[in-house]
Amino acid sequence: MVGQFNRAMLSMARSARGFTQSELAKLAGVTQALISKLESGLTVDPSQETFEAIAKALRVPVGFLLSDER
């Protein structure tokens, strides 16, 4: 994966879409625990496949989750 995963952008996008962690996890085909770990910083390097699935579920470009912005 190119760039650094930005957990703040994940959390912001999830909230903006009105998804719970469980809802996002189901849409992305991952566990709620993984979403929680990503948002809290316990897991900082999701696989490319996971990263792309989360971006697709959130309907954001992959680059959005790499943004340095908050």
Side-chain angles (χ1 to χ4, degrees), residues 3-22:
Q4 179 79 20
F5 180 76
N6 186 333
R7 65 189 178 109
M9 296 305 277
L10 168 60
S11 183
M12 182 178 71
R14 182 181 61 76
S15 294
R17 295 286 186 222
F19 295 149
T20 64
Q21 288 182 348
S22 294

Side-chain angles (χ1 to χ4, degrees), residues 17-70:
R17 295 286 186 222
F19 295 149
T20 64
Q21 288 182 348
S22 294
E23 289 168 334
L24 175 57
K26 184 175 181 179
L27 289 169
V30 299
T31 64
Q32 179 274 327
L34 177 61
I35 299 297
S36 177
K37 287 178 182 179
L38 288 169
E39 287 188 0
S40 68
L42 294 176
T43 299
V44 295
D45 57 349
S47 70
Q48 184 71 29
E49 181 179 275
T50 297
F51 186 73
E52 290 173 359
I54 291 170
K56 183 177 179 182
L58 289 169
R59 298 183 313 271
V60 298
V62 171
F64 180 86
L65 298 175
L66 298 174
S67 175
D68 288 336
E69 302 295 320
R70 286 201 168 257

